[in-house]
Amino acid sequence: MAYKSGFISVIGKPNVGKSTLLNALTGEKIAIMSNKPQTTRNTIRAVITSDEYQLVLIDTPGIHRPKTKLGEYMVNVASETIKEVDLIFFLAEATTSPESLDISIIEQLKKVKTPVLLILNKVDIVEKEKLLALIARYNELMDFKAIIPVSALKKDGLDIILEEVLKYIPEGEKFFPEDTLTDQPEKIIAAEMIREKLLLNLDDEVPHGVGVEVTSFKERKDGLINIQATIYCEKSSHKGIIIGKQGVMLKKIGAAARFEIERLLDTKVFLELWVKIKPDWRNNDNMLKELGYKR
Ligand code: GDP
Ligand code: MG
Ligand code: K
């Protein structure tokens, strides 16, 4: 059989398990995991390489109603992306009937010719009868190429996904070398890891106004990597919360981020964090470019 390669866009409302699925499929922690919505702003590509195929998975940020320029940008990226890929994974909750956001995503998906696999995630917490009724309901909404119930968390049903995928991925050469987990620059992975730790450690009102920029990423002669990063927030009260009493919070975030980055890059890391206030940075085009959200 000829070698196959292609791009897959992963779409679904926040918290359906997109990152968990990407991680389960790749076996490495590249996409960002958090129980807070919209952690994944960047289009992170995970690459699965085997003897028969290479799949490039794009963790497409959820299609939602934009409120800020960043939101608008995310919607644009998502709708452009789904036209260009070979296949779309549409993830939905197996635990609830389709909600308005699912329906509006389906409306977007109907507009493109790209084949769509519906992946009903979290079957580990659903009764069988309910699942069958849900499958029937989704069948009425759209003509999916397949409806696949899975548990990304328990790694259940992943083999069926891969089996289906190969029907829609064209013959072609590898896009990336064998050992590639992601084609994102390490700088962006580091920034994502820092942002993940921020989101995990801070109150809800702060994280959405937070951006991370890695300003310096240098490998020293002894192999240690020196990373300097700036955390941008919108208000001085936020800056205070992020730094914490006597810097305790920032130290905690930095230590947790460093641990993840060291694990990913498989080397010792020296991480320096700064916190800066940039009011309304989410509506600033240049700032979005600087932070890698816009080209
Ligand atoms: P994303 O926002 O779509 O990327 O969702 P995440 O991957 O961050 O997952 C959101 C939450 O759902 C996390 O708490 C996950 O642990 C949980 N989750 C993901 N997949 C499953 C699953 O198959 N079963 C259950 N029970 N929980 C899951
Ligand atoms: Mg995610
Ligand atoms: K999330």
Side-chain angles (χ1 to χ4, degrees):
M1 213 173 71
Y3 202 82
K4 289 185 166 192
S5 63
F7 287 79
I8 303 171
S9 183
V10 183
I11 291 185
K13 65 186 178 199
N15 286 325
V16 294
K18 298 179 295 297
S19 302
T20 310
L21 181 73
L22 283 192
N23 294 333
L25 286 170
T26 56
E28 278 292 326
K29 194 175 180 198
I30 297 292
I32 308 304
M33 293 246 286
S34 161
N35 54 10
K36 289 177 184 161
Q38 284 181 37
T39 316
T40 320
R41 287 193 193 132
N42 278 298
T43 309
I44 294 181
R45 299 175 174 89
V47 181
I48 303 172
T49 308
S50 84
D51 292 341
E52 290 118 47
Y53 55 82
Q54 182 172 74
L55 309 174
V56 184
L57 294 147
I58 302 169
D59 190 6
T60 315
I63 299 173
H64 64 116
R65 285 165 210 89
K67 288 196 195 98
T68 63
K69 277 199 174 173
L70 177 60
E72 261 175 52
Y73 168 69
M74 285 167 67
V75 175
N76 288 341
V77 168
S79 40
E80 280 307 304
T81 305
I82 61 173
K83 274 190 248 166
E84 287 165 12
V85 293
D86 301 294
L87 182 66
I88 296 166
F89 286 176
F90 170 39
L91 257 83
E93 297 265 354
T95 53
T96 53
S97 45
E99 290 164 3
S100 65
L101 200 48
D102 296 307
I103 310 267
S104 66
I105 291 172
I106 287 174
E107 291 313 315
Q108 305 258 18
L109 295 179
K110 279 181 175 172
K111 289 185 204 159
V112 298
K113 294 191 187 110
T114 316
V116 181
L117 299 182
L118 171 62
I119 298 172
L120 293 175
N121 190 31
K122 311 192 186 179
V123 288
D124 53 297
I125 46 174
V126 175
E127 291 161 35
K128 195 156 189 186
E129 286 99 71
K130 284 197 182 148
L131 182 61
L132 293 176
L134 188 67
I135 291 173
R137 174 84 186 96
Y138 270 107
N139 247 326
E140 287 167 9
L141 288 172
M142 188 180 150
D143 190 17
F144 294 103
K145 291 292 178 197
I147 299 181
I148 310 166
V150 307
S151 168
L153 198 65
K154 301 254 150 80
K155 297 190 174 33
D156 223 13
L158 305 186
D159 45 341
I160 300 168
I161 294 180
L162 288 172
E163 210 173 280
E164 279 298 321
V165 161
L166 292 180
K167 295 182 189 170
Y168 304 101
I169 297 298
E171 288 181 5
E173 301 288 307
K174 287 187 188 106
F175 295 102
F176 301 105
E178 205 83 26
D179 54 359
T180 311
L181 289 166
T182 168
D183 68 338
Q184 286 267 316
E186 289 161 336
K187 260 172 95 170
I188 292 183
I189 293 175
E192 286 286 336
M193 286 300 150
I194 296 163
R195 189 159 57 214
E196 179 188 67
K197 297 308 167 197
L198 275 161
L199 298 187
L200 280 174
N201 283 288
L202 297 174
D203 284 339
D204 279 338
E205 74 270 22
V206 182
H208 286 280
V210 166
V212 178
E213 183 189 14
V214 170
T215 50
S216 166
F217 190 105
K218 284 185 193 136
E219 191 168 348
R220 296 196 326 203
K221 279 203 186 84
D222 58 5
L224 186 141
I225 293 176
N226 229 324
I227 302 174
Q228 297 181 349
T230 303
I231 297 166
Y232 293 101
C233 59
E234 293 178 324
K235 294 178 193 163
S236 66
S237 63
H238 289 170
K239 183 173 173 178
I241 295 170
I242 293 167
I243 293 172
K245 247 191 194 150
Q246 286 158 348
V248 166
M249 180 54 83
L250 193 61
K251 260 187 211 145
K252 189 179 168 194
I253 290 164
R258 182 175 52 80
F259 181 80
E260 290 291 356
I261 299 166
E262 285 184 338
R263 208 171 64 86
L264 268 169
L265 303 181
D266 199 23
T267 180
K268 285 276 168 215
V269 164
F270 181 65
L271 178 64
E272 285 177 279
L273 293 177
W274 281 272
V275 184
K276 282 187 189 162
I277 304 161
K278 279 215 179 178
D280 210 24
W281 70 267
R282 279 182 292 181
N283 274 321
N284 181 323
D285 273 340
N286 283 335
M287 194 68 190
L288 291 179
K289 272 183 206 143
E290 272 174 40
L291 297 177
Y293 297 137
K294 200 161 185 165
R295 265 161 259 256

